Amino acid sequence: MSSSSEPGDETAGGLPVLAPRLRDLRRRASLTLEAAARAAGLSPAHLSRLETGQRQPSLPMLLALARVYGTTVSALLGETVGDQDAVVRAADMEPTGAGGWTYWQAGAPGRGMQALRVHVPYGSQGDIVRVHPGEEWLYVLSGRLRLRLGDAAHPLGPGDSAHFDSLTPHRIAALDRGGVDLLFVHTLLQSPTAALCLGPITGDTP
């Protein structure tokens, strides 16, 4: 095994068009290999292996590179979404239940950023701690919630918002018996609703 491999990557073979796209995006951004690698938290040698197809990036690497190049993970992967997906009508937002929570898809599927409208009932799933790659943003529409990030607890009310790295252990609990309604955006590409909000369970902190 080569000592130059880094955690979370794999040998090439599954994403044949990604390597040249990464190189082209870096050049369009007028970034040297060293500057782009530093901004993405990678070594220049590792970024070079990604650009030549010798390695495949993990999801956190894709998220970091997408931010550096001012694009989305979907664009890096060559995915396109038709113009008809730009608008989501209220009548087309079908509710989905998972673990007591209710979700309405508020954005187009297949994009690097997913938007949801969420209802969190009182006392449901407040003891589950979640950790996963990506970023999350939430905005409280109605009700009150407690957002725990690591060891810190944050009470949030209508109009409050939070934006955090999803690798920070986090959990959400509704404080009102009527529950809380949120706008919720995450960057975990193509994550099933249940996987995003119900797991993995990493522990319970009072």
Side-chain angles (χ1 to χ4, degrees):
M1 172 181 277
S2 170
S3 60
S4 60
S5 62
E6 298 190 15
D9 60 16
E10 302 173 357
T11 56
L15 300 172
V17 301
L18 180 58
R21 185 173 292 114
L22 290 176
R23 184 177 58 250
D24 290 345
L25 284 170
R26 176 176 60 79
R27 290 174 176 173
R28 290 178 190 175
S30 300
L31 292 172
T32 64
L33 192 71
E34 291 75 13
R38 182 170 58 251
L42 302 172
S43 67
H46 189 68
L47 181 55
S48 177
R49 288 194 293 272
L50 296 179
E51 291 187 356
T52 55
Q54 298 176 49
R55 296 286 176 185
Q56 291 182 12
S58 63
L59 178 58
M61 291 178 190
L62 285 175
L63 290 167
L65 290 169
R67 285 193 291 267
V68 171
Y69 299 148
T71 187
T72 66
V73 173
S74 291
L76 288 180
L77 296 176
E79 297 179 351
T80 58
V81 179
D83 291 341
Q84 70 274 14
D85 294 322
V87 174
V88 181
R89 301 295 181 186
D92 297 328
M93 295 183 188
E94 294 291 336
T96 300
W101 296 29
T102 306
Y103 308 85
W104 292 262
Q105 189 75 35
R111 294 187 182 273
M113 182 178 69
Q114 293 293 295
L116 302 167
R117 183 162 57 89
V118 184
H119 176 76
V120 183
Y122 178 73
S124 174
Q125 305 300 328
D127 59 344
I128 291 182
V129 178
R130 291 168 288 276
V131 178
H132 51 81
E135 294 182 25
E136 296 183 29
W137 175 88
L138 61 84
Y139 176 90
V140 182
L141 294 170
S142 64
R144 298 177 303 128
L145 66 81
R146 181 176 61 250
L147 170 67
R148 185 174 290 275
L149 295 173
D151 295 330
H154 306 276
L156 302 178
D160 292 337
S161 64
H163 187 177
F164 54 92
D165 189 323
S166 306
L167 289 174
T168 302
H170 56 283
R171 67 181 183 180
I172 295 171
L175 297 178
D176 295 336
R177 293 198 173 275
V180 61
D181 291 294
L182 312 171
L183 291 178
F184 181 81
V185 176
H186 70 91
T187 59
L188 186 55
L189 182 67
Q190 296 179 348
S191 168
T193 297
L196 173 72
C197 294
L198 301 182
I201 299 173
T202 60
D204 183 10
T205 303

